[in-house]
Amino acid sequence: MESKELAMQIAKLLDSKKATRVKVLKVRDLTVLADYFVIASGPHVKSRAEEVEFQFKKKGVAPIRTEGFNTQNWFILDYANVIVHVFSPDARDYYDLDHLWADGEDVPIDFIEE
């Protein structure tokens, strides 16, 4: 699956699970870490991250690494070209990836489509 398509599908899944402040950032020109970051927040952080992992494993797409499953504040799912960050609201404000990666390109997400 192409990285932009993967990022958009993950963002839509997170939105459908009532995540807040869902954002896709194109960071391809800024870092070798990934092409896109998906950033989301809200309560029930662990269950949202687990749902992304579960739904995409069913499609044959598994993360190469996960982090944060022993915490309750920030979960990372690394899909190589797409890195998913799911935060509690306080952790999102504290780490402020939105500001840190402000040079990234906001990718519009059409949640009403489908």
Side-chain angles (χ1 to χ4, degrees):
M1 182 178 303
E2 189 250 319
S3 57
K4 182 177 182 180
E5 179 184 353
L6 177 61
M8 297 305 262
Q9 285 186 20
I10 290 170
K12 287 180 181 187
L13 174 63
L14 286 165
D15 182 67
S16 76
K17 296 299 176 183
K18 307 297 184 216
T20 58
R21 297 170 52 200
V22 179
K23 182 179 209 173
V24 175
L25 282 178
K26 181 180 174 187
V27 294
R28 176 183 307 149
D29 299 331
L30 303 175
T31 183
V32 297
L33 295 174
D35 293 340
Y36 294 90
F37 287 167
V38 178
I39 305 171
S41 52
H44 313 295
V45 178
K46 183 176 183 178
S47 64
R48 288 196 173 97
E50 288 173 335
E51 184 67 12
V52 169
E53 186 175 15
F54 175 74
Q55 292 299 328
F56 282 87
K57 276 186 179 176
K58 288 190 337 188
K59 297 178 181 190
V61 180
I64 58 172
R65 190 179 83 221
T66 62
E67 294 289 333
F69 282 89
N70 56 349
T71 72
Q72 296 298 314
N73 294 317
W74 182 6
F75 293 86
I76 298 171
L77 302 166
D78 184 347
Y79 289 94
N81 292 329
V82 177
I83 299 177
V84 182
H85 302 268
V86 185
F87 290 100
S88 69
D90 290 340
R92 184 165 183 173
D93 291 340
Y94 179 79
Y95 291 105
D96 200 10
L97 290 188
D98 302 87
H99 178 73
L100 183 64
W101 293 97
D103 290 340
E105 178 185 331
D106 276 321
V107 179
I109 306 166
D110 182 5
F111 292 118
I112 301 171
E113 185 182 297
E114 299 188 40

